[in-house]
Amino acid sequence: MVPIAGKTCLRMLRILATYYYSLIEFSFFKKKLEDSCLYRSDPYSSIWLYSLVHTIRLYNKKHYRSPTLGADIRANLRNLAIPASGIPMHLFFHNVFSASFFIIFIYPFAALVASAILSMYLKSPISTLFHEHLLQPSHWFARWRLNCFLVAWHAMLNEEDEGVMGQYSLEGKGEFLRAAEAAGDIPISPFRTDIGTLFAKHTHIEGGMGIHVLRNFTQGGDWILQDALTNDAALSRLLPPHTPLSTLRVVTGSRHWLVSSRSSHPRNIVNATATPLVDSVSVFTVVLRAGRAGASTDHNSICFPVDSTSGQLGLGRSNQHWYKLGTQNTFKVHDVFLKTWPGHPDGVGLIEGQEIPGIQSICDLCRRSHSKLLPEVPLVGWDVALTAELGPVILELNISCNFFLGEVDTAIYLKFMQDFVKAMQRHETGQA
């Protein structure tokens, strides 16, 4: 037992040494991604650690939708906890110093604890799990943070290019609806223009406390007024009664910026002559967010991966344990973290193996929309509703998007990230 335990500890110390050495390489030695010691043997780990260091470097710089990258991180993490701790994650990102402390100390410790817990459930070596969670995390949160890092840095590099920043502005729901409507061939959820201001009044609350005044965004307000849409018949058959509008998250990636003169000639950013082509846009993942019975939206859902070619649905999973805040969740391991569902947990029959009709046309719609509306933006997450009233429509887009537990081809995703990071390094230094 002692030799085995000793070998395990030695392996884990090597993993930890690799982690810290890579952080030093990228921060103090300012090495490029491809020049790091880890890159040739483990490019995924190298990109992950590169993103951590450069998140700190960019922390106080202007974000495309927030005052700074740090402010955007705090906003995104406000309802997330370190799993099984109950500790709100945003507390560690109060400023660049606390964020650095998190990356240097808290993250490795959390990865160690998670590996210890998972080794008991999965009967896998703790050192293998520690390597995965510290150096090669592939869970939804890590991929989300990688995506957010990529688009945040890309937007910063193009902040003086009005064309590119105009594309980033389409993450605003109203801006997207206007642009898609102007495009003419992108089906979207209809919005009301015939109502200027809507008063919503509670039937029982008195003293003016139950009144909500909603001014339409089409007339200078902040609210998009829309009629409710419902799931179509094919999707409804897979869901229990009283479920909300359940959407497909389709994530697409565009390589157009890589081949345009915006990336190859950073000092002449207005000379972008390459034609945006649908062929430069690919689909990374498709996920059905099956809303829970009684919920208002599909933000509370079980996520079923969808094959982007056949439309076949896989096993459902949940990430709700990441949202368990408060001391009542400290040291509490929620059963959903490894659980899968062949069907909806609130009723009806089997979902796994069923098919979403017309999935290829849905993917083509998202690819075409990415190419037409924001070809220079690397990643876009499209929320597509399959409605009884209008058929498939796009509700909104998300640029700082996550894959929602979808299945992603790691090799393709890694190549995409590598190509963008290398191009952005060149762009930042002014190299052609």
Side-chain angles (χ1 to χ4, degrees):
M1 288 296 294
V2 175
I4 295 175
K7 289 180 180 179
T8 299
C9 289
L10 184 59
R11 283 196 295 267
M12 295 179 70
L13 285 173
R14 286 174 177 167
I15 293 166
L16 198 60
T18 300
Y19 177 77
Y20 285 120
Y21 185 77
S22 295
L23 295 187
I24 291 170
E25 273 194 310
F26 291 132
S27 56
F28 291 101
F29 298 146
K30 303 187 185 306
K31 284 196 175 183
K32 293 181 178 180
L33 173 69
E34 60 272 27
D35 294 335
S36 67
C37 292
L38 190 59
Y39 180 73
R40 289 189 178 182
S41 62
D42 192 352
Y44 186 93
S45 296
S46 188
I47 280 193
W48 170 245
L49 300 177
Y50 183 95
S51 76
L52 295 181
V53 169
H54 285 269
T55 293
I56 298 301
R57 180 176 70 88
L58 304 173
Y59 194 85
N60 290 320
K61 293 185 179 294
K62 178 74 174 68
H63 191 269
Y64 72 89
R65 66 181 182 187
S66 300
T68 64
L69 173 59
D72 194 72
I73 291 173
R74 288 193 297 275
N76 275 295
L77 301 185
R78 64 189 181 279
N79 61 342
L80 285 165
I82 299 174
S85 74
I87 302 173
M89 213 177 295
H90 73 90
L91 296 178
F92 297 103
F93 292 86
H94 180 69
N95 54 47
V96 69
F97 301 107
S98 60
S100 300
F101 183 84
F102 179 87
I103 290 172
I104 295 170
F105 299 109
I106 303 299
Y107 171 48
F109 178 74
L112 175 62
V113 173
S115 302
I117 293 172
L118 285 170
S119 68
M120 293 186 291
Y121 283 88
L122 300 176
K123 308 302 180 185
S124 298
I126 186 174
S127 58
T128 301
L129 293 167
F130 187 55
H131 181 273
E132 176 187 337
H133 280 78
L134 188 63
L135 302 182
Q136 291 183 333
S138 58
H139 50 73
W140 77 275
F141 181 79
R143 293 277 174 88
W144 178 38
R145 296 324 306 165
L146 273 172
N147 294 348
C148 290
F149 159 71
L150 178 69
V151 297
W153 187 20
H154 180 263
M156 291 174 189
L157 293 177
N158 290 278
E159 62 181 352
E160 295 181 4
D161 188 322
E162 292 182 1
V164 175
M165 297 316 294
Q167 294 174 32
Y168 272 97
S169 72
L170 296 186
E171 192 169 54
K173 297 174 177 61
E175 287 84 350
F176 162 69
L177 290 174
R178 288 183 184 276
E181 183 182 49
D185 61 347
I186 299 175
I188 55 173
S189 53
F191 54 94
R192 301 290 293 268
T193 59
D194 57 327
I195 300 175
T197 302
L198 184 69
F199 280 76
K201 186 182 296 185
H202 196 278
T203 56
H204 293 97
I205 298 176
E206 299 181 356
M209 300 299 291
I211 296 176
H212 300 276
V213 181
L214 309 178
R215 188 179 178 195
N216 200 324
F217 85 102
T218 62
Q219 300 189 28
D222 295 322
W223 296 92
I224 299 169
L225 305 181
Q226 298 175 299
D227 294 320
L229 299 173
T230 57
N231 298 310
D232 70 7
L235 185 55
S236 294
R237 284 195 292 268
L238 303 177
L239 304 173
H242 312 298
T243 51
L245 187 67
S246 297
T247 59
L248 294 173
R249 164 57 63 89
V250 182
V251 179
T252 55
S254 172
R255 288 179 165 272
H256 180 69
W257 185 82
L258 294 174
V259 298
S260 74
S261 58
R262 282 185 166 97
S263 65
S264 59
H265 300 287
R267 298 309 182 194
N268 188 25
I269 57 176
V270 296
N271 183 27
T273 57
T275 303
L277 298 174
V278 175
D279 290 344
S280 68
V281 181
S282 58
V283 173
F284 278 119
T285 193
V286 184
V287 182
L288 169 64
R289 293 186 291 182
R292 302 300 299 268
S296 299
T297 70
D298 63 1
H299 289 85
N300 182 8
S301 61
I302 303 298
C303 297
F304 292 85
V306 183
D307 186 284
S308 61
T309 301
S310 67
Q312 190 172 78
L313 289 147
L315 287 169
R317 296 169 59 204
S318 172
N319 61 359
Q320 288 302 302
H321 57 293
W322 287 80
Y323 294 86
K324 301 297 184 181
L325 299 167
T327 55
Q328 69 273 19
N329 293 294
T330 303
F331 303 122
K332 185 175 181 180
V333 179
H334 294 270
D335 60 354
V336 299
F337 86 108
L338 287 177
K339 193 170 183 179
T340 58
W341 289 267
H344 199 291
D346 298 328
V348 304
L350 189 70
I351 290 182
E352 183 193 14
Q354 302 293 318
E355 294 182 1
I356 300 292
I359 192 64
Q360 290 192 29
S361 64
I362 293 169
C363 291
D364 287 344
L365 166 63
C366 295
R367 292 174 61 238
R368 187 176 76 250
S369 300
H370 195 158
S371 174
K372 192 164 192 175
L373 296 179
L374 55 174
E376 310 288 349
V377 175
L379 290 166
V380 179
W382 306 89
D383 290 342
V384 182
L386 310 180
T387 71
E389 296 82 3
L390 300 166
V393 296
I394 298 176
L395 302 182
E396 61 183 62
L397 63 83
N398 298 271
I399 294 173
S400 295
C401 57
N402 78 67
F403 294 137
F404 282 115
L405 302 171
E407 295 177 353
V408 180
D409 187 311
T410 299
I412 294 174
Y413 178 66
L414 175 61
K415 182 67 166 59
F416 183 86
M417 294 294 294
Q418 286 174 311
D419 291 346
F420 262 94
V421 168
K422 290 176 182 179
M424 291 193 295
Q425 286 176 155
R426 293 192 299 269
H427 186 102
E428 191 170 56
T429 58
Q431 298 175 358

